[in-house]
Each structure stands twice: as C-alpha cells, then as structure tokens.
Amino acid sequence: MDIKAGDFVATDDNEATMTVYRVEGSRALCQWFVDGDVDGEQKEEWFDLDKLKQL
C-alpha cells in the first residue's frame, strides 16, 4: 500500500502517531504532537518511506 498525504504512520524509532503532510520522491514530511498532547509542541521531520509503517 502506498503512503500518501493524509495517512497516519509510525516508525520503529518513534512511537508517536504521525500525519503525512507531503511526499516527495522516497521521503515523507510527517508531523506529530510531542507526548501526544494536541496542546503541546508540534514536531515536523522528513522520513524515508521505507522506514514508515501505515497505521
């Protein structure tokens, strides 16, 4: 299954549920809230698609 913008994903290194905001080539820009608190700090990072698993 292909990962696309709007999908929910996770990695083995990051237990947070992340949202994919953009896919470019073999990488995806993901955003998530630190500690799962929607009022908390929001993080953003690029991940290789092969490191992501779709939830």
Side-chain angles (χ1 to χ4, degrees):
M1 193 177 282
D2 291 334
I3 293 175
K4 60 191 177 312
D7 285 347
F8 296 106
V9 296
T11 67
D12 290 336
D13 298 334
N14 185 346
E15 63 188 35
T17 298
M18 301 181 286
T19 303
V20 176
Y21 276 87
R22 185 170 50 205
V23 175
E24 291 184 8
S26 64
R27 305 202 72 193
L29 178 63
C30 300
Q31 293 182 336
W32 69 97
F33 291 98
V34 176
D35 298 327
D37 181 4
V38 295
D39 293 325
E41 177 186 359
Q42 189 173 22
K43 300 278 280 184
E44 181 176 278
E45 187 174 337
W46 286 94
F47 291 92
D48 291 331
L49 288 173
D50 62 353
K51 302 291 184 199
L52 298 174
K53 54 185 169 189
Q54 197 169 24
L55 302 178

